[in-house]
């Protein structure tokens, strides 16, 4: 068996399939009668060429984007680029005295989410936490439709809004990906989101996270029996939403996919994530260094400390190595250098020594120091006449 290198794809023509199928590894299977144009279009989507181009264009020229609306929508869902993320799962039980939920979220997180995060460790560092919140009600009572209570897809904020101050977003400066599991009060069971004429229990909020409704059974409400949720039914929407938030390509609408037996990514999906992260980090580095250069050019007599100068140098050198590695097809090395370039450029741009000078321009310097030195300078200037007369008398000028 030939191993396909990182970032490559192996096309296999076989009579055992009737359609184009993306494998678990880096293999693409297609039947002998496949139209070449269809195969090329499928490969183009698989390699995410439009998505990569759209990401770079949108960052360098805000307002410009790809003509493919699906590509634009997927980009707008992604969380902002960062080397570190916090993942916070919050379980909300508004009525703990009426409905007891017996569930330990750390167990399914370790079983289903952690293997995926381990696979992405070269891309970003993820810190996973979970918490329980109680006695938090909906901002607005959901309307009843026939025998169910329904929230429109745009009303997910009715759950998010009362939680915002308690979700722990201030725990770290890193971007936080939130997943909220809302245990429906017994008086509102069953509760669903309404989207595209369908009822669903999960809804995603772009660049923020996702909300999932957990409806208990009648026995748990009426007989005070502990409600035990199913781990897989809760984690499946969370994994799907997590994929969209970090930019994992979803090709299920364009070709058939071999089923996975775990929550980890297919190898070609991981390669796509590497490419996307390289583009995002390299482009962000370019924008940051350009902005820093422009700012420093506008501030006269600024002093750049050695620490900032070293960070800028490292960032530029790493950015150059990114391009060199890409030309050689060294995807993993390019990802490592893009991460270094991104982190060092952000460090230099946000260094406290620069921020202090940025908010203390020349006009403020004059306003501060002139009142201090003017009283001292007036006697000095007035004494200059006496000094002149003394010199003239001494040297008889």
């Amino acid at each position: 068996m030939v191993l396909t290198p990182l970032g490559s794809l192996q096309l296999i023509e076989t009579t055992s399939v009737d359609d184009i199928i993306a494998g678990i590894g880096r293999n693409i299977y297609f039947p002998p009668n496949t139209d070449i144009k269809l195969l090329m279009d499928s490969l183009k989507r698989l390699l995410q060429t439009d998505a990569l181009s759209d990401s770079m264009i949108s960052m360098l020229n805000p307002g410009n984007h790809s003509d493919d609306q699906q590509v634009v929508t997927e980009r707008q869902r992604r969380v902002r680029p960062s080397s570190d993320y916090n993942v916070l799962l919050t379980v909300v039980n508004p009525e703990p005295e009426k409905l007891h939920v017996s569930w330990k979220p750390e167990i399914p997180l370790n079983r289903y989410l952690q293997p995926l995060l381990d696979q992405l460790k070269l891309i970003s560092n993820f810190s996973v936490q979970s918490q329980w919140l109680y006695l938090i009600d909906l901002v607005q009572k959901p309307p009843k439709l026939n025998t169910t209570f329904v929230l429109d897809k745009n009303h997910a904020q009715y759950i998010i809004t009362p939680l915002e101050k308690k979700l722990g977003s201030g725990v770290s400066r890193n971007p936080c990906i939130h997943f909220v599991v809302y245990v429906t009060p017994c008086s509102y069971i069953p509760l669903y989101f309404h989207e595209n004429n369908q009822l669903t229990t999960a809804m995603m909020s772009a660049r923020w996270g996702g909300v999932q409704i957990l409806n208990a059974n009648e026995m748990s409400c009426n007989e005070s029996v502990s409600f035990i949720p199913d781990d897989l039914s809760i984690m499946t929407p969370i994994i799907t939403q997590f994929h969209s938030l970090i930019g994992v390509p979803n090709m299920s609408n364009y070709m058939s996919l071999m089923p996975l037996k775990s929550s980890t990514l297919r190898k070609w999906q991981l390669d796509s994530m590497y490419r996307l992260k390289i583009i995002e980090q390299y482009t962000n580095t370019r924008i940051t260094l350009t902005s820093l250069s422009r700012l420093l050019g506008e501030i006269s007599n600024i002093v750049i400390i050695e620490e900032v100068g070293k960070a800028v140098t490292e960032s530029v050198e790493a950015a150059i190595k990114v391009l060199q590695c890409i030309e050689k097809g060294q995807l993993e090395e390019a990802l490592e250098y893009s991460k270094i370039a991104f982190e060092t450029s952000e460090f230099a741009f946000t260094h406290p020594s620069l921020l202090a000078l940025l908010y203390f321009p020349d006009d403020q310097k004059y306003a501060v120091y002139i009142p201090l030195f003017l009283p001292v300078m007036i006697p000095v200037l007035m004494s200059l006449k006496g000094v002149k007369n003394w010199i003239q008398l001494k040297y008889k000028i």
Side-chain angles (χ1 to χ4, degrees):
M1 181 178 179
V2 180
L3 294 177
T4 308
L6 180 72
S8 303
L9 286 175
Q10 184 177 24
L11 303 181
I12 301 176
E13 181 180 332
T14 175
T15 57
S16 60
V17 298
D18 299 324
D19 195 7
I20 301 174
I21 299 178
I24 296 176
R26 298 182 176 94
N27 301 328
I28 306 299
Y29 304 91
F30 63 95
N33 59 347
T34 302
D35 181 78
I36 296 299
K37 186 177 184 303
L38 177 61
L39 181 59
M40 293 301 295
D41 289 342
S42 300
L43 292 176
K44 183 179 178 181
R45 289 192 175 276
L46 197 72
L47 294 172
Q48 297 285 286
T49 55
D50 289 342
L52 297 176
S53 176
D54 175 71
S55 294
M56 178 173 286
I57 291 173
S58 63
M59 286 188 288
L60 293 175
N61 300 294
N64 297 336
H65 51 75
S66 171
D67 295 331
D68 191 332
Q69 187 57 43
Q70 181 65 26
V71 169
V72 175
T73 301
E74 291 176 354
R75 169 176 56 80
Q76 292 173 342
R77 289 175 180 170
R78 294 199 299 268
V79 293
R80 66 181 177 87
S82 177
S83 300
D84 301 276
Y85 294 96
N86 293 331
V87 179
L88 179 60
L89 174 60
T90 303
V91 186
V92 183
N93 187 358
E95 299 179 345
E97 72 283 358
K98 295 182 181 180
L99 179 60
H100 179 260
V101 181
S102 179
W103 191 53
K104 296 181 178 180
E106 60 273 13
I107 295 177
L109 284 174
N110 290 331
R111 180 179 179 183
Y112 296 101
L113 185 61
Q114 194 59 50
L116 174 58
L117 301 184
D118 292 340
Q119 196 179 26
L120 298 172
K121 61 184 178 181
L122 290 181
I123 295 177
S124 297
N125 299 317
F126 294 90
S127 175
V128 183
Q129 296 174 313
S130 62
Q131 65 176 350
W132 284 80
L133 295 179
Y134 301 96
L135 305 175
I136 299 178
D137 297 323
L138 293 172
V139 174
Q140 179 176 329
K141 180 180 178 180
K144 191 172 185 178
L145 180 64
N146 296 327
T147 59
T148 62
F149 292 90
V150 178
L151 284 174
D152 186 79
K153 66 175 184 178
N154 297 320
H155 293 168
Q157 67 267 23
Y158 290 156
I159 295 178
I160 296 175
T161 300
L163 297 176
E164 281 289 356
K165 296 181 180 180
K166 302 180 180 181
L167 285 180
S169 57
V171 173
S172 172
R173 294 182 179 180
N174 301 326
C176 189
I177 302 175
H178 294 281
F179 295 107
V180 176
V181 177
Y182 183 81
V183 181
T184 308
C186 292
S187 55
Y188 295 147
I189 291 177
L191 178 65
Y192 295 96
F193 288 115
H194 183 262
E195 181 181 19
N196 300 327
N197 297 322
Q198 293 183 345
L199 297 179
T200 178
T201 57
M203 189 66 61
M204 186 176 68
S205 179
R207 297 178 178 265
W208 184 86
V211 179
Q212 185 175 170
I213 296 173
L214 183 61
N215 291 311
N217 50 52
E218 294 183 1
M219 182 181 297
S220 299
C221 287
N222 297 332
E223 301 181 13
S224 299
V225 178
S226 295
F227 175 56
I228 304 176
D230 178 62
D231 290 347
L232 184 59
S233 63
I234 294 178
M235 293 304 300
T236 298
I238 289 177
I239 297 296
T240 302
Q241 292 169 353
F242 183 76
H243 283 183
S244 297
L245 290 166
I246 64 173
V248 176
N250 180 15
M251 300 298 298
S252 58
N253 295 330
Y254 307 108
M255 64 177 65
S256 300
L257 304 177
M258 283 190 175
L260 289 170
K261 296 181 180 180
S262 67
S263 61
T264 55
L265 301 178
R266 300 170 178 86
K267 290 184 178 180
W268 57 265
Q269 287 178 313
L270 186 60
D271 293 348
S272 295
M273 287 293 299
Y274 281 7
R275 297 188 189 95
L276 178 62
K277 201 67 176 180
I278 291 170
I279 291 295
E280 285 186 342
Q281 293 183 149
Y282 173 80
T283 306
N284 269 278
T285 299
R286 178 177 169 181
I287 295 171
T288 301
L289 293 178
T290 302
S291 300
L292 181 59
S293 175
R294 187 182 301 114
L295 285 173
L296 298 183
E298 294 174 354
I299 303 175
S300 60
N301 57 49
I302 186 172
V303 178
I304 306 298
I305 65 174
E306 183 179 355
E307 192 176 16
V308 174
K310 183 180 179 181
V312 171
T313 302
E314 289 180 0
S315 182
V316 173
E317 292 176 349
I320 294 173
K321 290 180 180 179
V322 170
L323 299 179
Q324 294 173 347
C325 291
I326 290 177
E327 290 179 354
K328 298 177 183 179
Q330 299 172 340
L331 201 60
E332 190 169 320
E333 290 80 359
L335 177 62
E336 293 177 355
Y337 282 121
S338 69
K339 187 175 182 179
I340 295 173
F342 174 74
E343 291 178 344
T344 51
S345 64
E346 288 291 318
F347 172 81
F349 189 79
T350 58
H351 197 276
S353 65
L354 297 182
L355 292 176
L357 292 170
L358 189 62
Y359 292 99
F360 197 49
D362 289 339
D363 56 347
Q364 292 188 16
K365 294 177 185 178
Y366 297 141
V368 170
Y369 291 114
I370 286 179
L372 296 176
F373 287 100
L374 189 58
V376 178
M377 292 302 297
I378 290 176
V380 174
L381 294 174
M382 293 180 67
S383 65
L384 290 178
K385 184 178 180 180
V387 173
K388 180 182 178 183
N389 293 335
W390 179 80
I391 294 175
Q392 289 177 344
L393 290 174
K394 184 176 181 180
Y395 297 98
K396 296 181 180 181
I397 298 176

